[in-house]
Amino acid sequence: MPSTPSSGTESASRPLLQQLRGHWVEAPNANPLVDQSLARAYVIDTRDTPLSAAVTAAVFWVLFLVLTGNRGTLVWAVLVHAMQWNMHRHLHKLDPEAIDAASAARTRRQLELRMLFPGLVWSLAPWLFFPSGDLAYILLMYFFVSGTTSVIIAALAQWWLAALCFGVPVFLSLALRLVLEPGSVPVIMGCLAVSQLLAALHYARKQNRLIVGSIENGFENARLAEALARQLDHVAQLAAQRARIFAAANHDLRQPMHALAIFVDALDTRSPPTAQNLRFMRDSVDALRGSIDALLDIAQLDGGVAPVRPEPLRLQPLFDALHGRFAALAAAKGLRLRVRPTQAAVLADARMLARLLGNLVDNAIKYTPSGTVLVCARHVAPGGWRIEVRDSGVGIDAQHQSQVFEEFFQVDNPGRDRSRGLGLGLSLVASMAQVMGSRIRVRTAPGRGSTFSLVLEQRAAAAVPTGDDDLFASTAPEQEAATAIRILVLDDEQPVREAMRSLLSAWGHEVVLAANPREALQQGGVFDLMLSDLRLGSGLSGLAAAQALQAVGKARHVVILTGETAHANRAEVERAGYALIYKPADARALRAAIAGSLP
């Protein structure tokens, strides 16, 4: 077909054209700051160039006027000096600081294109006073014009378009005039002028790329240095924040430990401890557990290792669970906890959202002396639900509102009164909201209460899986079956084993203890539940031991306990298909593990 050769030629020539365009044409730089730097440098560096060029041009035309007497030199002199004066005035009118990054590429191109006028004026010299017939003067003009032009091309290398606008007209005009001159020598000189143009432009282009690349590297290095400075500032802030956290945590951990140690020292084997002392000891243990759990949550959220599983979720079951959990606490303070019914369904991590709202409700009850705490959800456009926890409490002063989400910060609690909590709740709330892709907002005023809210993405209620209503069901001890089971406790620490036996036996279960996998294997019968420490003595793995014992039919269900909080440990246990409980384990978690192992 006739069109085929044409198409083939066109497709073959396109890469060559692209290569030539890429080599000879300079597009606006990807970084506008580079064009801005080049444009400003052009104004500053070339302000004095018209004067030096005028001196060079004067030497040129005066010399040829004296040698040849050609009046065309005077015409060229008027043109070249008028042009140089115009360039001088234009460059001194420009303020380089006024060149912004947005218009830098256009300004730079305009400045460089103005070099076409000097190039055209210089290109007239071979036509206005060419020493025709005198080879010596022809050589003099050739070397003067080509030498001056080559120097200017090299000087303008970083402004590539300016080098082209000046050098190409001058060299091509000189070459054409030489070729038209009779004789072989001028023709050869014309060819040399063309080759000299190509060579000068080739090396100028290489120089241009080196200079522009250097400028680009300078900006990139500045950007990296700025990013490094920000990272160092961030690290310094984190270090200061962690130092403040651990300083406050030192107090919050030592206080219950101190109280617990005194209660333990006060125990007398000749008489049982009083109920009041036991209650105080339990409160101290709960305070320790709460502090450790909160610090663990913060570490996991900050480290980005907290598992987040967003899924469609109806809010009403969660609201009902919050009411059942906190209604009695609110009533004990004379407050009313209201939960407004809702049909909302959102995309969220169910357990993380429950923890977040629980902290907000607990905080609202804590700081509301009288009145009402309200939990509700409002539809917001486009496609979202705003969950709110309102209270009629004391409110927060404007000076403290930016600090309420900081770890261990509590308004009007500089003495760290433990009865008012740890000061970690709102920090955890903010971190969990951020992990779920939202943000906690607060509206508050002193004496007028507070409203904490977050917006979550809307989901259709039909998309929520069946059984979601039971997700937040209570696991209170009184609701669990009282069936006794056989439990194997595998732990290399004897105090831990004995404590577990004391607690689990008191709940009516048969408990067998083992310090290592061999002892566990020697125990008779099959166990309904095995509670195994993750790390046993002598470098043994409790997880591997549990898998081996379950494989030989020694235990029907396995739960791993550990005091190590690394994300890798959680992932390892989850891959094995076992539940994980962090130490210190509370009674609720142990009862849930037992309930899950019931036949």
Side-chain angles (χ1 to χ4, degrees), residues 116-130:
L116 181 63
F117 299 109
L120 292 175
V121 172
W122 275 82
S123 68
L124 293 176
W127 302 93
L128 292 176
F129 55 96
F130 189 79

Side-chain angles (χ1 to χ4, degrees), residues 565-577:
T565 59
H567 178 63
N569 294 332
R570 172 188 283 273
E572 186 181 15
V573 173
E574 288 180 347
R575 283 196 298 269

Side-chain angles (χ1 to χ4, degrees), residues 351-395:
R351 302 198 181 280
M352 189 172 290
L353 182 60
R355 179 79 179 273
L356 183 155
L357 294 178
N359 281 339
L360 288 179
V361 173
D362 181 67
N363 196 71
I365 293 173
K366 189 181 303 176
Y367 288 98
T368 303
S370 62
T372 303
V373 174
L374 171 67
V375 181
C376 63
R378 297 177 178 273
H379 187 265
V380 293
W385 285 93
R386 183 171 66 242
I387 306 173
E388 297 182 349
V389 176
R390 302 182 182 179
D391 65 65
S392 57
V394 297

